[in-house]
Amino acid sequence: MGTSVAEKVAQQTANDFLPLQGTDYVEFYVGNAKQAAHFYKTAFGFQSLAYAGPETGVKDKASYVIRQNKLTFVLTTPLKIDNPIADHIYKHGDGVKVLALKVEDAKDAWEQTTKRGGKSYLAPTTLKDDDGEIVLSGIHTYGDTVHLFVERKNYQGAFMPGYRKWESFYNPSDTGLLYVDHCVGNVGWNQMNPWVKFYEDVMGFKNILSFDDKDISTEYSALMSKVMSNGNGFVKFPINEPAEGKKKSQVEEYLDFYNGEGVQHVAIATHNIIDTVTQLKNRGVEFLKIPETYYETILDRVGKIDEDLKPLSELGILIDRDEEGYLLQIFTKPLEDRPTLFFEIIQRKGAKSFGKGNFKALFEALEREQALRGNL
Ligand code: FE2
């Protein structure tokens, strides 16, 4: 304690054996990629970028790549049975398969991580076309989720060899979504510390923040969380595990419906959360509702902020402060029928933490939803 998050991040930048340049893309395995791409374009304001499928020589799957600023999603669906993508969807429903990380040297990233105990998912592989080459490699992480290391410094094409540029006449305006701020994994009972150790030992990450069940419990459900950050702080992976409460933990509900460990939420940065969330709501994105009483005392807790409280309370945006500034955040409802993956929209105004002060209000909102599903 006593050391700020920024200081902790700075201390570990030296001697980083796995220098990461940020999130390259997030790949979702979904039941119907064509419709999912339409949903994310329409509701969240992504643009068409690239496509791979039978027309580009890929016989067993179709992938749609969409982009908004530095945020790139790949939506992939299987075309046939007896396919690992089909098995993934049968088991987990729609969800995140790949958290792809941009690196200078994908072969070195694979060697550095596998020699430290990372289980290989993809040995270094070079993909080439007329626009240059990309080197990919990858390791397994929690559940069936994987990290791919993407080296694209010698590639000028739209996305990757195997994909063609996807020109669309349908180009909904963007909503101000900028990049991945952090991605949270839900792991099983007593599995948080083993996965913290995995990110420390295999990927050289550091634990920059911890929340125990006293921080994160309501009358009913509880969880524990540790935030893992890479050396330069560009990549942050909080890891949650369920904790005992009076009733079922929200993490346990996720584990039941996802049939195992996986990505709980992707947090996406914006420079203007009021504008972004207003647009998302107008396009049908559903957010967790926060009781109005939250706003009655919020300024006593967080102090002076630049924004008017009225639009924040109307939209249900949460506020928290740490020693470096404050942040504004809001959480969508699950993006599929299973109560699994959701998004967070976050605007940081100096704060480098994750909204600990909002956990109670947030979890009470989550529990109302969980109770409606009969899972509390
Ligand atoms: Fe988050």
Side-chain angles (χ1 to χ4, degrees):
M1 299 304 284
T3 314
S4 74
V5 172
E7 284 165 333
K8 284 182 193 171
V9 168
Q11 283 163 9
Q12 55 176 297
T13 308
N15 304 322
D16 187 355
F17 64 80
L18 182 64
L20 300 175
Q21 299 167 340
T23 302
D24 195 275
Y25 65 89
V26 179
E27 182 168 9
F28 304 74
Y29 281 178
V30 298
N32 187 330
K34 185 175 217 166
Q35 288 188 5
H38 195 289
F39 168 74
Y40 286 107
K41 285 177 65 175
T42 301
F44 288 90
F46 286 81
Q47 299 300 310
S48 301
L49 182 73
Y51 168 81
E55 300 87 345
T56 68
V58 178
K59 295 300 178 202
D60 60 343
K61 63 178 181 177
S63 294
Y64 294 78
V65 188
I66 55 176
R67 179 170 287 168
Q68 182 168 179
N69 297 304
K70 289 183 180 167
L71 187 61
T72 306
F73 285 172
V74 181
L75 302 153
T76 294
T77 203
L79 298 176
K80 295 262 174 74
I81 197 168
D82 292 332
N83 172 314
I85 305 168
D87 296 345
H88 196 279
I89 295 165
Y90 179 73
K91 183 175 178 189
H92 301 299
D94 288 7
V96 172
K97 174 64 181 181
V98 180
L99 295 171
L101 305 168
K102 193 175 176 187
V103 295
E104 177 72 15
D105 186 337
K107 182 166 175 282
D108 186 60
W110 185 84
E111 285 171 352
Q112 294 290 340
T113 50
T114 55
K115 84 176 182 195
R116 289 173 167 84
K119 185 178 156 211
S120 178
Y121 171 72
L122 176 69
T125 304
T126 303
L127 307 173
K128 291 183 185 176
D129 67 11
D130 293 344
D131 292 313
E133 64 175 51
I134 282 200
V135 187
L136 288 181
S137 66
I139 58 171
H140 291 266
T141 177
Y142 48 76
D144 290 326
T145 317
V146 301
H147 291 309
L148 283 187
F149 303 116
V150 184
E151 174 189 331
R152 54 170 70 255
K153 62 179 185 282
N154 298 315
Y155 194 69
Q156 285 78 45
F159 183 60
M160 249 185 227
Y163 288 78
R164 72 178 185 205
K165 199 167 183 343
W166 174 20
E167 308 264 15
S168 175
F169 65 86
Y170 179 59
N171 304 299
S173 58
D174 93 22
T175 61
L177 301 179
L178 298 173
Y179 55 84
V180 173
D181 185 275
H182 60 275
C183 278
V184 179
N186 278 342
V187 300
W189 291 94
N190 305 311
Q191 292 303 304
M192 178 180 69
N193 285 327
W195 284 108
V196 163
K197 192 163 165 31
F198 165 87
Y199 280 105
E200 285 172 347
D201 293 350
V202 173
M203 297 182 68
F205 282 41
K206 288 286 188 311
N207 175 213
I208 56 167
L209 285 169
S210 299
F211 311 105
D212 65 19
D213 50 352
K214 283 176 278 304
D215 294 319
I216 315 183
S217 67
T218 61
E219 191 183 348
Y220 295 122
S221 83
L223 63 80
M224 293 190 280
S225 188
K226 287 187 175 174
V227 181
M228 305 307 294
S229 172
N230 83 312
N232 58 21
F234 290 176
V235 178
K236 292 186 279 298
F237 295 141
I239 307 287
N240 295 334
E241 73 172 27
E244 288 294 348
K246 273 194 200 165
K247 291 192 180 175
K248 191 179 202 172
S249 167
Q250 54 172 285
V251 177
E252 201 180 355
E253 187 198 32
Y254 174 100
L255 295 170
D256 284 351
F257 280 86
Y258 199 70
N259 278 310
E261 302 178 340
V263 173
Q264 180 209 40
H265 73 268
V266 178
I268 304 168
T270 172
H271 288 323
N272 187 339
I273 197 167
I274 292 173
D275 185 53
T276 293
V277 173
T278 299
Q279 292 194 52
L280 295 178
K281 276 202 163 163
N282 289 342
R283 296 164 186 226
V285 177
E286 297 176 310
F287 292 94
L288 287 180
K289 286 195 174 55
I290 300 300
E292 280 182 28
T293 50
Y294 171 88
Y295 296 93
E296 289 170 5
T297 55
I298 185 64
L299 294 183
D300 301 337
R301 179 158 69 78
V302 302
K304 192 175 153 7
I305 57 170
D306 301 335
E307 293 75 14
D308 288 335
L309 203 54
K310 191 159 181 286
L312 296 176
S313 68
E314 284 168 357
L315 294 165
I317 293 166
L318 302 164
I319 314 153
D320 197 26
R321 184 178 285 280
D322 62 24
E323 61 269 28
E324 289 162 281
Y326 69 97
L327 62 81
L328 305 160
Q329 64 186 165
I330 191 169
F331 297 84
T332 72
K333 291 187 179 180
L335 294 157
E336 51 293 299
D337 288 297
R338 299 189 194 198
T340 52
L341 176 74
F342 58 89
F343 289 168
E344 171 182 350
I345 311 297
I346 183 165
Q347 181 179 4
R348 293 186 181 279
K349 303 196 78 164
K352 297 202 170 55
S353 54
F354 295 83
K356 174 176 160 180
N358 289 322
F359 286 161
K360 194 169 184 331
L362 179 64
F363 293 169
E364 283 168 355
L366 276 168
E367 279 172 12
R368 281 193 296 278
E369 302 278 328
Q370 202 175 331
L372 289 173
R373 293 188 287 261
N375 296 330
L376 192 58

